[in-house]
Amino acid sequence: MIWPAALVLASCIFAAVAGSNDGASLVAGAIRVSGLDPAAAILAALGTLAAGPFFLGTAVSTTLASGLIPFGETTGVRAMLWAVLGAVVVVGTLSRAGLPTSLTLGFLGALAGVGWTGHLGVAWGRFALVLI
């Protein structure tokens, strides 16, 4: 029971790191619009993020969750936890240093590393398709 809770916590930390990495640039354009206060811009951004899967589908999420590494019940949660923590370290360190980074590459690199070192059977061809 501790592994899913740890994964949720790590995911929340990743969301905070992702927001510190490029959240300001997402909201800045909306704030520049005259008459739109920052709270409304943030709510609009959150609304579009929440509505995206309903209108655009979940193919990307499905690929990340099950198409790149064959996760088992417990092994999958642990592997995803380590991948998220790896992405937090990479993206957080680069963001803190003021260096450009990619959330996608940080997470995919961590996911591939976990799959490879954990001998989980990485679908390298699918990784290549995702990166292209």
Side-chain angles (χ1 to χ4, degrees), residues 12-113:
C12 290
I13 294 169
F14 182 71
V17 168
S20 71
N21 180 52
D22 60 5
S25 61
L26 292 173
V27 176
I31 292 175
R32 294 265 311 153
V33 175
S34 60
L36 189 61
D37 66 325
I42 291 170
L43 285 174
L46 289 173
T48 56
L49 287 173
F54 294 106
F55 296 109
L56 301 174
T58 59
V60 172
S61 299
T62 303
T63 299
L64 289 175
S66 62
L68 302 175
I69 294 174
F71 292 120
E73 183 71 28
T74 303
T75 305
V77 173
R78 290 181 189 172
M80 190 63 79
L81 171 64
W82 290 117
V84 170
L85 290 174
V88 165
V89 169
V90 169
V91 173
T93 301
L94 292 174
S95 295
R96 182 97 171 136
L99 298 171
T101 183
S102 166
L103 299 171
T104 303
L105 291 177
F107 179 70
L108 287 176
L111 191 60

Side-chain angles (χ1 to χ4, degrees), residues 2-20:
I2 186 118
W3 293 107
L7 179 57
V8 169
L9 178 62
S11 298
C12 290
I13 294 169
F14 182 71
V17 168
S20 71

